[in-house]
Amino acid sequence: MTTTLIRGRLLSFNRAPQAIDDSAAYSYESDGALLIGDGVIKASGPYGVVKAAAPDGVTEIDHRPHLIMPGFIDTHLHFPQMQVMASYAANLLEWLNTYTFPEECRFVESAHAERIAIHFFDEMIRHGTTTAAAYCSVHKASADAFFAESLKRNMRMVAGKVMMDRNAPQGLLDTPGMSYDETRAVIADWHGKGRNHVAITPRFAITSTPEQMEVAKSLVGEFPDLHVQTHLSENRDEITFTCELYPEAKDYTDVYARYGLLGPKSLFGHCIHLSDREADAMSETGSVAVFCPTSNLFLGSGLFPLRALTRRQKPVRVSVASDIGGGTSYSMLKTLDEAYKILQLQAERLNPFDSFYLMTRCNAEALSLVERIGTLEPGTDADLVVLNMAATPAMALRAEVVNSLADELFLLQTMGDDRAIVETYVAGRPAKSSLGTV
Ligand code: GUN
Ligand code: ZN
């Protein structure tokens, strides 16, 4: 077994911070080290202690003075939308119909899907994201391309073949039968291969007939451990149209509830305009509301009520995500920068510890994967990000007057992007510095 000792400042979270001075919420080592072997963290702690326990002649990588954290986790994005980012539209439905659906039609071609998958994983690594929950397109070929590339890079990824059988161009539609057979085939081909997880992925209620929602329900019944991902309550026109399509449902959330799609493995993108009843239903089932700040601002969808959802008597589980390509940055740093501003507009605060907790441990918990990712605990996957708060001339100048960990994190979040990512480790392998050679 080859082991590596990675030295630097270490930061990881034990639980949600209650306040900016809640230092018990995180573990910080000003001169720390991680012993890595077989793709997992073998030991974590002060450099002197970990070094003493390491085998003689262990390879050492010294990242001082940089900060080492668990790799970032992105809980909602669309792999076939890399060439949709930055498309000029007034709102969600116009953006979907004008740009997104036509673009996703191209993923019927394996060669196209394979080429974009390479770019997708390159961007994840460049931005320090080591796990994502991704939507592929409706075509099985897109899921095959995604998971093959993920397997090649040994990344822990959650993804699904999208199910959609109406209200989109012909080239982007399956049928209830096809979506059942192909989702089962994707599960058989990829679930549990390497670090791949398959998610049951009905796009949203507008693009699925009741017959297809029945199929999603059957799949959840057959594969209760799999993730489910879909969209909920992003845009007012979307909500109105959904309620017209499913008149028997009490509200948008109830559409999914009627098909058994709520639950602790279910991720609902957006959830901006939920009623109290809907939030109660989310809370009671342990469903996750996924906050996508750059997308919500870009598409003018609204301000995600993060604090209102988590502070309520029946709290709703939350996570954060880029929502590429409605989102405008691959960077979880930029994503949390925009999240901060969304809370400012609601007279709420998001302190820097909250932000870094959200993009690591909180997102791991939202995916029910905290036993494997999102912390620096021994025994978990060695997926890491190394951060430099002085990555650009402007950041370096600002860093001169930083004198606390909170200031450093806030600088990274507010001014940082992929340039602040010194290295991304995937299962112990330095992946950013070897981009282009995989
Ligand atoms: N709702 C249904 N599909 C999508 C999508 O691709 N992006 C966003 N932001 N919302 C959606
Ligand atoms: Zn989305």
Side-chain angles (χ1 to χ4, degrees), residues 76 78 135 231 270 323:
H76 179 122
H78 298 259
Y135 289 61
H231 296 85
H270 306 295
D323 189 30

Side-chain angles (χ1 to χ4, degrees), residues 78 81 92 95-96 100 104 203-204 231 234 238 270 295 299 323 326:
H78 298 259
Q81 294 179 13
L92 170 69
W95 176 84
L96 283 173
T100 309
E104 289 193 15
R203 184 178 204 120
F204 67 159
H231 296 85
E234 177 177 4
E238 171 209 18
H270 306 295
S295 170
L299 293 173
D323 189 30

Side-chain angles (χ1 to χ4, degrees), residues 274-294:
L274 298 181
S275 67
D276 263 352
R277 196 214 73 77
E278 292 179 284
D280 281 353
M282 294 281 292
S283 176
E284 286 159 9
T285 53
S287 302
V288 177
V290 185
F291 180 17
C292 306
T294 71

